[in-house]
Amino acid sequence: MNKLSMGARILFGLMFTVFGLNGFFMFLPMPAPSPEAGAFFGALAATKYFFPVLKTIETCSGLLLLSGYFVPLALTILAPITINIFLFHAFLDRGGLMVGVVVVILNAYLAY
């Protein structure tokens, strides 16, 4: 494995591990969402199960990427999540669009 792909894997794994754990422990402050994004988050939070499941999947997949075990499985599990991150920022919160682009590029590069 070359240094670029290992660096991308570690960065991608760190992103999902940190933000997955942040969903449980709230150690990073989140900026106030736009009204549309707030309504979307409110609808997802009303289900009571979505965010715990999502953050568990993000944390576990991030840890798999960091460990180097089952990397193809972790990338496959994270693919729909990365697409949704991109689409969320493209349509509901333009301020974070660059984050969505970076996440999709990292996932595509690592999958390739």
Side-chain angles (χ1 to χ4, degrees):
M1 173 179 285
N2 65 23
K3 291 179 183 181
L4 181 63
S5 56
M6 184 167 30
R9 180 177 55 85
I10 290 172
L11 176 65
F12 199 54
L14 274 175
M15 287 171 57
F16 277 100
T17 301
V18 168
F19 288 113
L21 289 173
N22 188 50
F24 294 112
F25 301 115
M26 307 296 178
F27 51 86
L28 295 174
M30 301 302 286
S34 66
E36 296 87 8
F40 180 70
F41 280 138
L44 292 176
T47 65
K48 305 279 191 241
Y49 77 90
F50 184 79
F51 283 118
V53 170
L54 177 68
K55 296 305 178 181
T56 301
I57 290 170
E58 286 180 1
T59 303
C60 292
S61 297
L63 290 172
L64 286 175
L65 288 171
L66 289 174
S67 71
Y69 293 109
F70 301 107
V71 171
L73 175 64
L75 291 173
T76 303
I77 291 169
L78 289 174
I81 295 172
T82 60
I83 295 299
N84 277 302
I85 290 170
F86 173 75
L87 292 174
F88 171 80
H89 288 296
F91 292 107
L92 296 175
D93 185 23
R94 294 275 178 148
L97 185 59
M98 211 51 199
V99 173
V101 170
V102 167
V103 168
V104 168
I105 288 172
L106 282 172
N107 198 347
Y109 173 74
L110 290 169
Y112 178 73

